[in-house]
Amino acid sequence: MPRSIVWGAAVLLLTVLPGSALAAPRGDAVRGAALYDRCIACHSLERNRTGPKHCGLFDRAAGEAEGYRYSKAMRDWGQRWTPESLDTFLENPRKTVPGTRMTYAGVKDAQERADIIAYLMRENAPDGTCAQ
Protein backbone atom coordinates (compact mmCIF):
# COMPACT_ATOMS: atom_id res chain seq x y z
CA MET A 1 0.00 0.00 0.00
CA PRO A 2 1.45 3.42 -0.92
CA ARG A 3 2.82 5.45 2.00
CA SER A 4 0.61 8.47 1.24
CA ILE A 5 -2.53 6.36 1.69
CA VAL A 6 -1.28 4.94 4.99
CA TRP A 7 -0.43 8.43 6.31
CA GLY A 8 -3.72 9.83 5.07
CA ALA A 9 -5.66 7.08 6.85
CA ALA A 10 -3.67 7.61 10.06
CA VAL A 11 -4.34 11.36 10.04
CA LEU A 12 -8.04 10.75 9.38
CA LEU A 13 -8.30 8.30 12.28
CA LEU A 14 -6.49 10.60 14.68
CA THR A 15 -8.78 13.51 13.87
CA VAL A 16 -12.07 11.63 14.20
CA LEU A 17 -11.48 9.12 16.98
CA PRO A 18 -12.79 10.26 20.38
CA GLY A 19 -9.99 10.89 22.82
CA SER A 20 -7.44 11.43 20.09
CA ALA A 21 -4.72 13.92 20.91
CA LEU A 22 -5.62 15.89 17.77
CA ALA A 23 -9.41 15.71 18.01
CA ALA A 24 -11.24 18.75 19.32
CA PRO A 25 -12.93 18.09 22.65
CA ARG A 26 -16.62 17.26 22.52
CA GLY A 27 -18.69 19.85 24.30
CA ASP A 28 -21.14 19.26 27.12
CA ALA A 29 -24.01 21.76 26.75
CA VAL A 30 -25.16 21.26 30.36
CA ARG A 31 -21.71 22.10 31.71
CA GLY A 32 -21.52 24.90 29.14
CA ALA A 33 -24.69 26.47 30.57
CA ALA A 34 -23.01 26.74 33.96
CA LEU A 35 -19.81 28.10 32.39
CA TYR A 36 -21.84 30.67 30.43
CA ASP A 37 -22.51 32.34 33.78
CA ARG A 38 -19.06 33.92 33.32
CA CYS A 39 -20.38 35.63 30.19
CA ILE A 40 -23.66 37.05 31.52
CA ALA A 41 -22.04 40.11 33.07
CA CYS A 42 -21.72 41.40 29.49
CA HIS A 43 -23.74 39.06 27.22
CA SER A 44 -27.22 37.61 26.99
CA LEU A 45 -28.86 35.24 24.56
CA GLU A 46 -31.86 37.52 24.06
CA ARG A 47 -30.54 41.08 24.01
CA ASN A 48 -27.50 43.26 23.56
CA ARG A 49 -25.87 44.35 26.80
CA THR A 50 -22.31 45.59 27.24
CA GLY A 51 -21.54 42.91 24.66
CA PRO A 52 -23.71 41.71 21.76
CA LYS A 53 -26.51 39.16 22.15
CA HIS A 54 -25.73 35.55 21.36
CA CYS A 55 -29.09 34.61 19.85
CA GLY A 56 -28.51 34.20 16.12
CA LEU A 57 -24.76 33.95 16.68
CA PHE A 58 -23.82 31.09 14.35
CA ASP A 59 -23.18 31.99 10.73
CA ARG A 60 -23.59 35.68 11.59
CA ALA A 61 -20.78 37.89 10.35
CA ALA A 62 -18.58 39.04 13.21
CA GLY A 63 -19.36 42.64 14.02
CA GLU A 64 -22.92 42.54 12.70
CA ALA A 65 -25.41 41.85 15.52
CA GLU A 66 -28.36 44.12 14.89
CA GLY A 67 -28.45 47.11 17.22
CA TYR A 68 -24.98 46.60 18.67
CA ARG A 69 -22.11 49.05 18.14
CA TYR A 70 -18.90 47.11 17.51
CA SER A 71 -15.30 48.18 17.45
CA LYS A 72 -13.82 48.83 14.02
CA ALA A 73 -11.48 45.88 14.61
CA MET A 74 -14.40 43.46 15.04
CA ARG A 75 -16.32 44.89 12.08
CA ASP A 76 -13.19 44.51 9.92
CA TRP A 77 -12.25 41.01 11.13
CA GLY A 78 -14.02 39.43 8.16
CA GLN A 79 -15.07 36.18 9.84
CA ARG A 80 -18.42 34.47 10.29
CA TRP A 81 -19.20 32.90 13.64
CA THR A 82 -18.72 29.16 13.47
CA PRO A 83 -17.80 26.80 16.29
CA GLU A 84 -14.20 26.97 15.03
CA SER A 85 -13.95 30.77 14.81
CA LEU A 86 -15.67 31.12 18.19
CA ASP A 87 -13.20 28.66 19.73
CA THR A 88 -10.27 30.66 18.38
CA PHE A 89 -11.76 33.96 19.54
CA LEU A 90 -12.69 32.71 23.01
CA GLU A 91 -9.20 31.36 23.61
CA ASN A 92 -7.68 34.84 23.37
CA PRO A 93 -10.02 37.58 22.12
CA ARG A 94 -7.48 40.41 22.11
CA LYS A 95 -4.87 38.38 20.25
CA THR A 96 -7.40 37.06 17.72
CA VAL A 97 -8.93 40.49 17.03
CA PRO A 98 -6.46 43.19 18.10
CA GLY A 99 -8.47 46.28 18.98
CA THR A 100 -11.62 44.43 20.06
CA ARG A 101 -13.52 46.06 22.92
CA MET A 102 -13.91 42.69 24.62
CA THR A 103 -11.63 42.97 27.62
CA TYR A 104 -12.10 39.39 28.86
CA ALA A 105 -8.76 37.58 28.86
CA GLY A 106 -10.21 34.44 27.30
CA VAL A 107 -11.02 30.84 28.13
CA LYS A 108 -7.71 28.99 28.10
CA ASP A 109 -9.13 25.51 28.74
CA ALA A 110 -10.13 23.83 25.45
CA GLN A 111 -12.76 21.65 27.15
CA GLU A 112 -14.41 24.67 28.76
CA ARG A 113 -14.51 26.43 25.38
CA ALA A 114 -16.05 23.32 23.80
CA ASP A 115 -18.67 23.20 26.55
CA ILE A 116 -19.62 26.87 26.16
CA ILE A 117 -19.84 26.46 22.38
CA ALA A 118 -22.00 23.32 22.79
CA TYR A 119 -24.35 25.32 25.03
CA LEU A 120 -24.56 28.18 22.53
CA MET A 121 -25.20 25.72 19.70
CA ARG A 122 -27.97 24.07 21.71
CA GLU A 123 -29.61 27.42 22.43
CA ASN A 124 -29.38 28.72 18.84
CA ALA A 125 -31.83 27.29 16.32
CA PRO A 126 -30.69 26.98 12.69
CA ASP A 127 -33.09 29.76 11.71
CA GLY A 128 -31.25 32.28 13.91
CA THR A 129 -33.75 32.24 16.76
CA CYS A 130 -33.03 31.05 20.27
CA ALA A 131 -34.47 27.95 21.87
CA GLN A 132 -35.54 29.75 25.06
Side-chain angles (χ1 to χ4, degrees):
M1 186 176 297
R3 254 180 138 162
S4 61
I5 293 174
V6 172
W7 277 109
V11 168
L12 179 64
L13 285 173
L14 285 173
T15 58
V16 297
L17 287 176
S20 154
L22 297 178
R26 292 179 187 220
D28 177 340
V30 173
R31 185 166 179 255
L35 291 167
Y36 189 75
D37 282 348
R38 297 177 189 171
C39 309
I40 62 174
C42 297
H43 295 277
S44 162
L45 287 172
E46 302 86 14
R47 62 186 175 86
N48 294 325
R49 301 180 72 193
T50 303
K53 68 180 179 178
H54 287 149
C55 186
L57 176 68
F58 293 101
D59 200 39
R60 179 171 74 205
E64 291 190 9
E66 188 175 329
Y68 187 78
R69 190 172 152 252
Y70 286 91
S71 65
K72 180 173 177 4
M74 185 59 77
R75 288 191 317 267
D76 292 347
W77 187 34
Q79 298 291 314
R80 295 196 82 73
W81 290 118
T82 64
E84 296 79 16
S85 63
L86 186 56
D87 181 61
T88 300
F89 182 74
L90 288 177
E91 183 176 12
N92 191 335
R94 290 178 285 178
K95 179 181 176 189
T96 303
V97 182
T100 182
R101 286 193 203 123
M102 186 162 163
T103 59
Y104 187 67
V107 181
K108 302 306 177 204
D109 184 271
Q111 184 62 59
E112 288 183 0
R113 290 192 311 274
D115 295 341
I116 292 167
I117 291 166
Y119 166 71
L120 289 170
M121 290 179 71
R122 184 188 75 188
E123 296 303 308
N124 277 269
D127 66 359
T129 61
C130 279
Q132 291 184 350

